[in-house]
Amino acid sequence: MTTIFISDLHLDKDRPKVIRYFIDFLNNLESDIESLYILGDFVEYWVGDDDPGDGLEEVFSSIKKKSNSIPIYFMHGNRDFMISEKFCNHHGMKFLKDPTKIKLHGKKILLMHGDTLCIDDIEYQKFRTMVRSPLWQNEMLKKSLEERINLAKMLRAKSLSETGTKDEVIMDVNNDEVISQLKKHNVDMIIHGHTHRPNIHKIISENKECKRIVLGDWYDKSFILRISDGEIIIDKSNLS
Ligand code: MN
């Protein structure tokens, strides 16, 4: 049996090819797939349960349909943290807290979106704490849909311009934090996305070889991690 992990699809109506690819991938999943984990930034932005999800209608209806045959898990990223647990349940997705520990083929694995590992980006961490607070979210949801969509667009533009000027190292994970999470949760592996730097890192922690698997984004290529007994396979396909 195989478990699939994906993240950072950043689904958006402006990139219909990616949307089409994801729907086809989901509809044609092999029969040996045990479960599917979506580890954040599934959509480019989300402003609340009343978000019209323009262009994403078929994405969510396909998920709901597929969830009748396999469990589909969803974890927040920094773009789609306003997707509520209620929305997930309604669309057949099982909501996962960040981080969540699972056991797979005898290995203990910590699943995260990955932004909490980037502790050197102090400015971002402050922003994250603010927007994840119930107070901020309640205030946000009081605004009109239009206001929230405009704000989301503004934040995207701000994040894009900052990404261009911030130090590459600051925006990557902090290695001490990685080791501290491995120890804290007593796991053999961390799987996360967010940094858009796909890789399989080997880390020695307490005389044990651990792995940190970083998922890739779905900008030019799709990125699908498959884990079956003793095997780690990464599938990439061109999207353009
Ligand atoms: Mn992210």
Side-chain angles (χ1 to χ4, degrees):
M1 296 298 271
T2 303
T3 304
I4 291 184
F5 301 88
I6 56 175
S7 74
D8 302 279
L9 284 76
H10 292 263
L11 296 182
D12 185 81
K13 66 172 185 318
D14 293 340
R15 294 165 58 236
K17 272 184 191 160
V18 186
I19 293 179
R20 193 68 251 157
Y21 189 92
F22 173 75
I23 293 167
D24 291 343
F25 149 77
L26 197 62
N27 291 341
N28 297 303
L29 276 183
E30 304 85 340
S31 58
D32 74 325
I33 303 301
E34 200 164 27
S35 45
L36 167 66
Y37 286 87
I38 302 170
L39 300 183
D41 287 358
F42 179 55
V43 299
E44 180 69 359
Y45 69 95
W46 197 259
V47 300
D49 281 358
D50 56 347
D51 192 303
D54 278 343
L56 302 174
E57 299 83 356
E58 200 185 340
V59 168
F60 289 113
S61 65
S62 306
I63 286 180
K64 183 147 178 86
K65 203 171 141 208
K66 198 69 195 178
S67 70
N68 291 319
S69 45
I70 61 160
I72 299 175
Y73 297 95
F74 176 86
M75 183 181 281
H76 281 154
N78 51 299
R79 302 299 193 100
D80 49 15
F81 60 87
M82 292 296 279
I83 289 184
S84 71
E85 193 166 351
K86 189 176 150 204
F87 179 92
C88 286
N89 293 337
H90 189 72
H91 291 86
M93 299 185 286
K94 294 174 195 291
F95 182 78
L96 286 185
K97 280 199 177 116
D98 182 358
T100 287
K101 188 175 164 178
I102 60 165
K103 215 170 174 187
L104 204 57
H105 312 292
K107 295 271 182 217
K108 289 171 280 183
I109 305 176
L110 193 67
L111 305 177
M112 320 175 90
H113 176 57
D115 53 337
T116 53
L117 295 171
C118 304
I119 59 167
D120 295 326
D121 192 343
I122 294 160
E123 197 186 340
Y124 169 71
Q125 293 302 333
K126 272 190 197 157
F127 173 76
R128 187 183 191 280
T129 305
M130 177 181 81
V131 299
R132 298 298 180 101
S133 74
L135 189 71
W136 187 89
Q137 294 192 1
N138 285 336
E139 285 304 311
M140 185 53 112
L141 291 171
K142 282 183 198 159
K143 295 182 196 292
S144 73
L145 181 62
E146 197 190 350
E147 275 178 290
R148 279 177 278 142
I149 289 175
N150 286 335
L151 193 65
K153 281 182 186 157
M154 224 176 69
L155 287 173
R156 276 162 82 199
K158 185 172 174 273
S159 148
L160 270 179
S161 73
E162 279 174 3
T163 307
T165 54
K166 267 187 199 167
D167 193 313
E168 288 278 304
V169 178
I170 283 178
M171 289 191 300
D172 202 354
V173 304
N174 174 297
N175 286 320
D176 293 338
E177 183 61 16
V178 170
I179 291 183
S180 137
Q181 292 297 319
L182 284 167
K183 282 184 189 161
K184 181 179 169 193
H185 297 279
N186 182 30
V187 290
D188 311 291
M189 192 189 288
I190 296 180
I191 299 176
H192 70 84
H194 181 66
T195 61
H196 301 210
R197 299 173 199 212
N199 210 336
I200 300 181
H201 300 272
K202 286 181 182 160
I203 304 148
I204 304 293
S205 166
E206 293 177 322
N207 298 320
K208 188 172 73 175
E209 191 183 280
C210 300
K211 280 191 179 72
R212 177 170 69 91
I213 303 184
V214 189
L215 305 171
D217 60 58
W218 288 43
Y219 286 149
D220 303 320
K221 284 180 169 26
S222 61
F223 189 102
I224 299 162
L225 168 68
R226 294 165 195 269
I227 299 187
S228 50
D229 200 9
E231 244 192 333
I232 296 173
I233 295 166
I234 288 166
D235 278 349
K236 288 188 253 185
S237 295
N238 281 324
L239 293 173
S240 44

